[in-house]
Amino acid sequence: MDRQDILKVRNQDLQSSKLTESEYQKIMIFFANVIQSLGESLKMRQQVIATATVYFKRFYAKHSLKSVDPFLLAPTSLFLASKVEEFGVISNNRIIGTCQSVLKSKFSFAYPQEYQYKINQVLECEFLLLEVMDCSLILYHPYRSLVQYVADIRAEDKVLQAAWRIINDTLRTDIPLLYPPFLIALAGLQIACVIHKRDFKGWFAELNVDMDKISEITRQILALYDLWQNYDEKQEILAILNKMPKTKVSSRPSSQPNEAQLQQQS
């Protein structure tokens, strides 16, 4: 995808809801946090969580927030990612039960009511997600490249750990939709080296990669950290979610768009 593709649908949501760009970004950060917490509660590997987060972001890069309730798409994305990444079968009761418990224990400041969706709605939403993804479900993440690069420069574990966390943070941005995984890995490693005062400029200079792209990724990561500095999710997110475009039939995931609506939005 390119940035214009992403902004096309997003700008429609911003205009119809009076959301600002930073508020939209905070919504995406919030639901990435929800997916992360759900995945951790289900004991999923980070790669499964990353795949689910990218599925979620790819859906809303193509379709409005009002096409499907994000509180339904978040567990649906995990449900599908667990199958694609061969994590193992998650029972129907477990995915719904985990949603109920995680939202109540960790996100009641944003979702104070009981979780309203049932497994049949997750299954319907999964079918829609498959359609929108056009069955392009295999994703490659930066983690494997990162491990190889760290081994190549013989950096300490703390550099790897810092870069790994930075890569996880990119899931709160549009970066995974715009750049190949190996460039994201290099940007995360570069920032981690700066944090830990490790000089590998010579190694980076010898790479046959587009350093301008790495600089673009780095700027977007630093912009995320600037946003976080003055952002109190618990205090702000409920008001932002209330501005979010609402699904027309909030009790069903079949508030999902029909075929004509999808064609209009694409």
Side-chain angles (χ1 to χ4, degrees):
M1 303 187 74
D2 61 36
R3 189 169 296 281
Q4 291 306 115
D5 292 330
I6 294 171
L7 292 179
K8 181 179 177 181
V9 172
R10 181 175 304 174
N11 285 339
Q12 293 172 3
D13 275 346
L14 297 183
Q15 292 167 9
S16 65
S17 63
K18 310 302 182 186
L19 285 166
T20 66
E21 176 66 36
S22 66
E23 286 174 334
Y24 189 98
Q25 188 174 359
K26 289 172 183 177
I27 290 171
M28 290 294 115
I29 290 171
F30 171 75
F31 283 106
N33 293 341
V34 169
I35 291 170
Q36 184 75 36
S37 294
L38 289 173
E40 289 174 355
S41 294
L42 290 164
K43 310 298 184 189
M44 291 180 170
R45 303 188 312 273
Q46 181 58 35
Q47 180 160 326
V48 183
I49 296 170
T51 293
T53 307
V54 175
Y55 285 174
F56 182 93
K57 296 178 77 67
R58 280 172 62 175
F59 182 91
Y60 289 117
K62 294 182 177 181
H63 302 293
S64 168
L65 287 167
K66 67 184 177 184
S67 61
V68 172
D69 185 350
F71 281 105
L72 174 62
L73 191 67
T76 302
S77 298
L78 270 174
F79 196 56
L80 179 57
S82 68
K83 300 173 186 177
V84 174
E85 296 290 349
E86 299 181 348
F87 170 75
V89 177
I90 301 174
S91 72
N92 295 349
N93 289 337
R94 192 176 174 210
I95 189 74
I96 297 299
T98 301
C99 279
Q100 292 170 338
S101 63
V102 167
L103 289 174
K104 183 175 291 186
S105 63
K106 296 185 177 181
F107 298 100
S108 59
F109 58 88
Y111 197 88
Q113 67 268 41
E114 288 295 314
Y115 189 66
Q116 62 180 320
Y117 295 108
K118 308 299 181 186
I119 188 59
N120 65 308
Q121 295 168 312
V122 171
L123 295 173
E124 287 180 28
C125 190
E126 182 185 37
F127 181 74
L128 174 64
L129 181 57
L130 282 166
E131 278 191 339
V132 170
M133 298 281 291
D134 196 23
C135 294
S136 299
L137 301 175
I138 303 300
L139 300 181
Y140 298 96
H141 297 291
Y143 305 110
R144 181 176 297 179
S145 296
L146 174 64
V147 172
Q148 292 173 344
Y149 295 148
V150 169
D152 192 27
I153 63 176
R154 299 181 181 179
E156 306 97 315
D157 282 348
K158 63 183 180 181
V159 174
L160 172 62
Q161 291 166 6
W164 191 284
R165 288 193 296 270
I166 292 164
I167 287 172
N168 288 347
D169 290 341
T170 66
L171 295 169
R172 275 78 180 159
T173 72
D174 293 329
I175 290 170
L177 303 179
L178 297 171
Y179 301 96
F182 77 96
L183 287 181
I184 300 172
L186 287 170
L189 179 57
Q190 187 178 59
I191 295 173
C193 288
V194 172
I195 290 171
H196 289 291
K197 297 180 172 59
R198 295 294 181 266
D199 186 359
F200 294 107
K201 291 178 184 176
W203 182 82
F204 277 98
E206 292 176 1
L207 295 174
N208 184 24
V209 298
D210 188 340
M211 293 304 295
D212 288 339
K213 293 292 185 185
I214 294 176
S215 296
E216 287 176 16
I217 297 168
T218 300
R219 283 195 295 271
Q220 291 180 53
I221 294 169
L222 296 179
L224 172 68
Y225 293 154
D226 285 342
L227 177 69
W228 268 344
Q229 279 189 334
N230 300 307
Y231 174 41
D232 186 336
E233 186 171 80
K234 289 187 176 181
Q235 294 296 320
E236 296 181 39
I237 194 62
L238 183 57
I240 295 173
L241 291 175
N242 286 335
K243 291 174 65 177
M244 188 173 69
K246 299 298 186 292
T247 52
K248 291 182 179 178
V249 186
S250 60
S251 61
R252 296 189 70 219
S254 333
S255 50
Q256 62 191 48
N258 59 36
E259 186 174 349
Q261 289 172 317
L262 285 174
Q263 289 175 351
Q264 281 183 347
Q265 292 176 16
S266 61

